């Protein structure tokens, strides 16, 4: 009871503070007033402290099992372990709003503190935008969906957590996705601020590059963990189903991927100004759109979301953000005319440009597929598209992007001197070699024959770049390992990027392999019988049943070589007999043997067996990608070596 | 400074290609999505996706890899026949989405069977599709 009132009071105090901060920010921006700007920032920090206090209160309520609070009742029970109970903080609707606002306040505070020294006006407007976004979340939490709402009667125990969600992957992937969304509000805020302030330089790009990368890294982790969870827990043999919920997370990631590349073109060449504003705004709006779609339940999804009053609120916020950022962009459009994007199409700029257009096209294709039920429902019968649509529309675009991963980094800025065939000799050679190897190995699927050589060529590109660095280090004084480490450290941004590229390529290899060569069989076996899928033979040995606390377990034993696989089926009587599959997976670098116990009849078992080639590489590639982001992003100052030649006189803007 | 025709032309070509991809992929793979009630009104033999609630007459055979049941919605019912892995949470009373076609025998033959997650699944921004 006391906790609920305390939490509510913290939220109200935060709302008052961020509202004050937003007003002070706008006033400081208009009047270029240093003192007011400081007031705005301090109010923002204080609002963040209020949010932290509210979050701490909710955590205490959860851990102390305060079932007077509806949120605690709905998302935990007495049998739930402490870590899972704590995770309920962001597990439910109201709590996830609080978590989102808290993260935004934290990362926003860092960006404002760092930006204040660089530019008063820009940062003051950014402060106003960030405070406005947090104010929206607080209004929703105070008036519509409070995490501290009380129940009329205090129940003895809570409703608990669905067993599907009692898993480590579930514990950590949503917070990463939400953190990614909230981090991307920072570039958005600085972009809108630059438009409001009428700044024409790329200061906002330079100031927010790191936040965009952080957001992108967090989103990448969230997506990878989400796939991992789906693959290991859900037991349908796959990791991505093109569900609206997944698309909602994918679209902002795609737009951010485009932006972190096009930002470099603006930093180096001073061009693509309006485009970059557009991308940053689009990425943020897509993350809000995703939240709206997910929360409103207006799309047919296998995830039925609790019908909540949040849908219209998020829709209103989406429209407001669209109108404000669109108007700001339109007002400045006359001043944003950029120089030619590139002198020659075959150049680094040209590759970035093509990559951007392709990523935007891919985002648009995913958006179209996601919104089709809504759009067709307005004009007649509701239409839906599934995986075949996304594969047909998306695969050619993804192949073109793979080719760019091989070619783009090799092209010099401005224009190619000499023949570009010579420039790409390693890539062409490795692709040809890979193709020959695949053909010799008996591969005939056109998808694999095109995509895997492209992956090989792309990996060669990354190796060539690392090789150049190593060769350069060899010419430096001192022992080679130390020289190499110095070259790496001085060019972290570049080598981080190529490591991330390698990660994406490795992920692509995993996606292609598991897509093209997946095999599956559904069988019923009596003890002693075997089934062969691909090159693997499984022998069913027997079954055992046991009782494990709140659920019963049925475990089948299968022999695979000298290993034993034990897929299981868990039944929860307390949840109306809900069953839960525990998949047995034997992973090797070559393939996964993935066994699902579908059912049992006496000692006869029904099994679904998948052989999923190369899946392990999806997780390895995801880890490489994140390592690349960490390597490239944990840079204090941009080192001298990396400063670009600035042909268009944008040196000041780069700084 | 105006962008030259070269860039606008390139952009137009790419946009046209992507537009063609999206339109053709939509045309070849879009299906109607409807409830059992709406399904009864339209009929037709093409593939459709149908939403309905599982009734109490579930018959499992083949160790659980074959199910027959009646799906109902809006006062209409439809017998469904499905072979394959059944989602964990499948049981009478839950909503399912089946993808397939209505056979001449009056039975809906489902290629896929997906369960709508229980509402508590809404907790957390869950990834992944709990499909069969």
């Amino acid at each position: 009871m006391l906790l609920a009132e305390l939490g509510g009071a913290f939220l109200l105090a935060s709302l008052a503070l961020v509202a004050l901060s937003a007003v002070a920010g706008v006033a400081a921006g208009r009047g270029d007033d240093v003192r007011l700007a400081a007031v705005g920032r301090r109010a923002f920090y204080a609002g963040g402290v209020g949010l932290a206090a509210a979050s701490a209160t909710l955590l205490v309520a959860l851990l102390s099992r305060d079932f007077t609070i509806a949120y605690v009742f709905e998302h935990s029970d007495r049998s739930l372990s402490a870590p899972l109970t704590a995770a309920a903080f962001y597990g439910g609707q109201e709590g996830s709003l609080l978590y989102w606002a808290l993260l935004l306040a934290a990362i926003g505070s860092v960006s404002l503190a760092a930006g204040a020294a660089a530019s008063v006006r820009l940062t003051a407007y950014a402060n106003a935008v960030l405070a406005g976004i947090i104010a929206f979340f607080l209004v929703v939490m105070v008036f519509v969906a409070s995490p501290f709402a009380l129940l009329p009667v205090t129940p003895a125990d809570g409703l608990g957590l669905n067993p599907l969600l009692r898993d480590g992957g579930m514990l950590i992937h949503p917070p990463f996705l939400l953190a990614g969304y909230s981090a991307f509000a920072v570039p958005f805020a600085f972009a809108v601020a630059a438009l409001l302030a009428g700044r024409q330089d790329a200061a906002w790009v330079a100031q927010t590059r790191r936040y965009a990368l952080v957001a992108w890294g967090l989103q990448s982790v969230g997506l990878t963990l989400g796939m991992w969870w789906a693959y290991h827990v859900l037991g349908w043999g796959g990791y991505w189903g093109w569900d609206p919920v997944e698309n909602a997370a994918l679209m902002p990631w795609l737009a951010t991927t485009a932006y972190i590349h096009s930002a470099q073109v603006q930093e180096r060449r001073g061009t693509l100004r309006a485009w970059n504003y557009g991308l940053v705004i689009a990425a943020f709006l897509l993350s809000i759109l995703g939240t709206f779609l997910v929360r409103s339940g207006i799309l047919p999804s296998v995830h039925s979301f609790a019908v909540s009053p949040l849908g219209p609120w998020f829709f209103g916020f989406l429209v407001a953000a669209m109108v404000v950022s669109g108007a700001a962009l339109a007002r400045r459009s006359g001043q944003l005319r950029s120089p030619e994007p590139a002198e020659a199409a075959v150049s680094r700029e040209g590759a970035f440009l093509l990559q951007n257009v392709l990523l935007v096209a891919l985002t648009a294709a995913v958006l179209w597929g996601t919104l089709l039920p809504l759009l067709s429902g307005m004009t007649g019968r509701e239409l839906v598209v599934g995986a075949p649509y996304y594969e047909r529309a998306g695969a050619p675009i993804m192949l073109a992007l793979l080719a760019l991963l091989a070619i783009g980094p090799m092209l010099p800025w401005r224009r190619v001197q000499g023949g570009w065939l010579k420039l790409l000799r390693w890539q062409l050679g490795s692709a040809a070699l890979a193709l020959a190897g695949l053909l010799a190995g008996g591969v005939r699927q056109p998808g694999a024959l095109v995509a895997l050589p492209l992956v090989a060529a792309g990996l060669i590109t990354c190796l060539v770049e690392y090789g150049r660095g190593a060769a350069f280090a060899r010419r430096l004084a001192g022992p080679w390992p130390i020289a190499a480490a110095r070259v790496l450290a001085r060019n972290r941004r570049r080598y981080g990027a190529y490591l991330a590229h390698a990660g994406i390529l490795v992920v692509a290899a995993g996606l292609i392999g598991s897509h093209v060569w997946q095999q599956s069989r559904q069988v019923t076996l009596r003890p002693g019988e075997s089934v062969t899928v691909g090159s693997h033979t499984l022998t069913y040995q027997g079954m055992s049943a046991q009782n494990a606390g709140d659920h019963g377990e049925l475990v089948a034993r299968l022999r695979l070589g000298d290993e034993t696989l034990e897929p299981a089926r868990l039944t929860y009587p307390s949840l109306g007999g809900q069953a839960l599959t525990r998949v047995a997976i034997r992973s090797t670098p070559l393939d996964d043997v993935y066994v699902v116990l579908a059912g049992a009849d006496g000692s006869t078992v029904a099994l679904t067996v998948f052989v999923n080639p190369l899946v392990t590489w999806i997780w390895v590639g995801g880890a490489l990608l994140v390592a690349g982001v960490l390597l490239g992003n944990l840079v204090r100052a941009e080192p001298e070596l990396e400063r670009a030649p600035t042909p268009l006189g944008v040196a000041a803007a780069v700084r | 400074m105006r962008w030259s025709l070269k860039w606008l032309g390139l952009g137009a070509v790419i946009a046209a290609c992507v537009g063609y991809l999206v339109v053709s992929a939509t045309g070849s793979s879009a299906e109607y999505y409807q409830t059992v009630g709406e399904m009864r009104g339209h009929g037709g033999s093409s593939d459709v996706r149908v939403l309905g609630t599982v009734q109490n007459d579930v018959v499992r055979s083949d160790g659980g890899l074959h199910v027959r049941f009646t799906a109902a919605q809006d006062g209409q019912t439809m017998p469904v026949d499905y072979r394959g892995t059944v989602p964990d949470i499948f049981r009478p009373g839950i909503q399912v989405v089946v993808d397939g076609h209505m056979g001449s025998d009056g039975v809906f033959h489902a290629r896929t069977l997906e369960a709508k997650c229980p509402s508590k699944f809404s907790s957390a921004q869950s990834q992944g599709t709990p499909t069969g």
Side-chain angles (χ1 to χ4, degrees):
Chain A
M1 193 69 175
L2 181 66
L3 284 174
E5 278 153 9
L6 198 61
F10 284 137
L11 289 181
L12 262 180
S14 285
L15 178 54
L17 284 163
V18 295
L20 169 71
S21 174
V23 174
V26 171
R30 293 179 75 96
D32 211 353
D33 186 327
V34 179
R35 279 223 330 264
L36 255 183
V39 170
R41 278 200 310 280
R42 284 185 193 138
F44 189 90
Y45 304 151
V49 171
L51 280 166
S55 306
T57 311
L58 185 59
L59 270 178
V60 169
L62 281 164
L63 291 169
S64 65
R65 318 256 183 233
D66 185 347
F67 295 121
T68 56
I69 297 174
Y71 188 80
V72 177
F73 166 72
E74 282 163 10
H75 297 97
S76 67
D77 64 23
R78 292 185 190 281
S79 69
L80 209 58
S81 69
L84 282 169
T85 308
F89 167 42
Y90 50 71
Q93 183 135 277
E94 296 82 1
S96 69
L97 293 176
L98 180 55
Y99 174 78
W100 187 333
L102 173 71
L103 286 177
L104 183 50
I107 194 161
S109 296
V110 173
S111 73
L112 293 180
S119 164
V120 175
R121 278 193 81 202
L122 183 65
T123 309
Y125 276 123
N127 178 358
V129 176
L130 286 169
I133 298 169
I134 295 184
F136 162 74
F137 281 95
L138 279 165
V139 165
V140 170
M141 276 188 280
V142 169
F143 297 106
V144 195
S146 172
F148 298 105
L150 291 168
L151 287 171
V153 184
T154 304
D157 199 357
L159 293 177
L161 190 67
N162 192 301
L164 271 176
L165 308 185
R166 294 178 200 170
D167 176 86
M170 200 62 221
L171 218 63
I172 46 179
H173 99 260
F176 273 105
L177 279 176
L178 287 174
Y181 287 166
S182 63
F184 208 75
V186 172
F188 170 79
F190 275 84
V192 173
L195 288 170
L196 291 175
R199 294 275 297 254
Q200 291 177 43
D201 56 27
W204 72 273
V205 175
Q207 273 183 26
T208 58
R209 189 188 73 82
R210 209 163 297 166
Y211 302 97
L213 257 177
V214 167
W216 187 78
L218 289 166
Q219 287 174 336
S220 306
V221 174
L223 285 168
T224 312
L225 288 175
M227 291 197 285
W228 194 90
W229 174 77
Y231 184 71
H232 284 84
V233 173
L234 294 179
W236 57 288
Y239 38 77
W240 189 267
W242 296 106
D243 188 79
V245 175
E246 295 165 328
N247 294 349
L250 180 65
M251 288 186 286
W253 184 84
L254 289 172
T256 317
T257 311
Y259 170 69
I260 55 181
H261 291 86
S262 66
Q264 293 182 50
V265 180
Q266 186 171 358
E267 281 188 88
R268 293 233 174 186
R269 303 293 312 273
T271 181
L272 296 184
R273 293 179 202 159
W275 176 263
N276 278 330
Y277 282 119
L279 274 182
V280 166
I281 290 168
F284 180 73
L285 292 179
L286 282 169
S287 69
I288 300 294
L289 174 75
T291 313
F292 161 66
L293 293 177
V294 164
R295 297 294 182 212
S296 64
I298 58 169
L299 288 177
S301 160
V302 287
H303 301 83
S304 66
F305 288 90
V307 178
S308 78
L310 288 192
W313 284 85
F314 268 92
F315 187 70
F317 181 61
L318 180 66
V319 171
M322 217 185 280
V323 167
V324 169
S325 50
L329 193 55
R331 199 161 71 105
R332 302 286 176 199
S333 61
Q335 302 162 19
L336 290 175
R337 197 133 313 138
S338 293
E340 286 269 295
E343 288 172 34
V346 184
S347 65
R348 184 74 68 84
E349 299 92 308
F352 274 135
L353 202 60
L354 181 58
Q355 179 253 25
N356 260 252
V357 171
L358 290 171
L359 279 170
V360 169
L362 189 56
T363 313
V366 175
L367 185 64
W368 168 255
T370 310
L371 292 183
L372 183 64
L374 209 60
L375 300 174
S376 59
M378 286 174 191
T379 54
R381 289 171 72 188
E382 206 166 296
L383 281 168
V384 285
V385 288
Y389 162 79
Y390 294 100
E391 281 154 19
R392 282 200 52 177
I397 304 177
M398 292 185 211
L399 286 178
L401 285 167
L402 277 181
L404 273 180
L405 271 166
I407 299 167
M410 300 311 293
L411 301 177
W413 292 88
R414 297 170 74 87
R415 59 172 63 250
V416 176
Q417 312 280 344
W420 52 271
L421 271 175
K422 188 177 162 227
L423 207 62
L424 299 176
R425 59 190 186 282
W426 291 103
Q427 285 72 16
L428 291 168
S430 62
L433 211 62
L435 182 62
L438 288 170
L439 284 170
V443 175
R444 291 294 178 270
Q445 291 89 343
L449 288 177
V450 177
L452 288 176
L454 289 176
V455 169
L459 287 171
I460 287 294
T461 295
C462 299
L463 280 180
V464 166
E465 289 294 334
Y466 273 93
R468 279 180 185 168
F472 180 67
R474 205 173 279 282
R475 292 200 297 273
L476 294 180
W480 182 77
I482 295 173
R486 267 179 49 214
V487 170
L488 188 72
R490 279 204 173 169
N491 298 280
R492 272 176 287 197
R493 192 171 162 184
R494 174 188 300 161
Y495 290 114
Y498 290 128
L499 192 56
H501 276 193
I504 285 280
L505 288 160
V506 170
V507 170
L511 297 177
I512 296 159
S514 55
H515 191 79
V516 175
W517 291 305
Q518 185 184 54
Q519 290 179 295
S520 71
R521 273 190 77 179
Q522 298 183 334
V523 285
T524 47
L525 296 178
R526 283 193 295 273
E529 289 183 333
S530 299
V531 59
T532 301
V533 185
S535 56
H536 302 282
T537 301
L538 286 153
T539 309
Y540 171 50
Q541 296 186 305
M543 187 148 59
S544 58
Q546 61 205 47
N547 215 317
D550 62 342
H551 64 270
E553 282 187 15
L554 209 57
V555 185
R557 279 189 321 282
L558 295 146
R559 202 88 192 129
L560 172 66
D562 5 308
E563 287 178 74
T564 303
L565 291 181
E566 297 192 324
R569 212 169 160 73
L570 284 54
T571 315
Y572 288 81
S574 61
L575 293 162
Q578 182 180 328
L580 181 69
T581 294
R582 197 190 290 146
V583 187
I585 305 176
R586 203 281 319 257
S587 290
T588 65
L590 209 57
D591 58 15
D592 283 10
V593 178
Y594 184 107
V595 188
V596 183
L597 179 58
D601 192 0
S603 62
T604 305
V605 285
L607 300 169
T608 310
V609 183
F610 296 89
V611 173
N612 296 323
L614 305 184
V615 166
T616 307
W617 296 101
I618 298 176
W619 324 129
V620 172
L624 279 178
L625 190 154
V626 173
V629 172
L630 291 175
L631 177 66
N633 207 34
L634 295 177
V635 194
R636 266 200 315 279
E638 298 301 328
E640 212 59 34
L641 262 179
E642 271 191 281
R643 195 92 51 78
T646 49
L648 296 177
V650 289
V654 171
R655 211 41 235 165
Chain B
M1 278 178 270
R2 295 233 163 239
W3 287 25
S4 62
L5 276 175
K6 178 174 73 175
W7 296 105
L8 296 177
L10 268 175
V13 168
I14 294 173
C17 292
V18 172
Y20 168 75
L21 272 177
V22 167
V23 169
S24 72
T26 308
S28 66
S29 61
E31 297 173 4
Y32 286 115
Y33 181 79
Q34 48 208 344
T35 65
V36 171
E38 292 161 347
M39 170 83 189
R40 282 295 185 198
H42 288 288
S45 60
S46 59
D47 271 14
V48 286
R49 232 183 263 193
V50 186
L51 170 75
T53 305
V54 180
Q55 301 302 295
N56 271 320
D57 59 348
V58 177
V59 180
R60 290 179 185 250
S61 54
D62 212 359
L65 284 174
H66 182 198
V67 288
R68 297 174 72 98
F69 61 93
T70 302
Q73 196 86 22
D74 310 330
Q76 297 276 349
T77 63
M78 175 179 91
V80 179
D81 183 297
Y82 169 75
R83 264 179 196 285
T85 315
V86 178
D88 288 340
I89 57 173
F90 180 83
R91 62 171 179 273
I94 69 154
Q95 285 201 314
V96 290
V97 178
V98 285
D99 194 337
H101 65 277
M102 184 57 88
S104 51
D105 51 357
V107 176
F108 189 88
H109 295 273
R111 273 187 296 115
T112 67
L113 185 157
E114 298 177 351
K116 281 243 192 191
C117 299
S119 64
K120 252 201 286 168
F121 207 78
S122 69
S123 47
Q125 287 231 322
S126 49
Q127 273 286 316
T129 328
T131 53

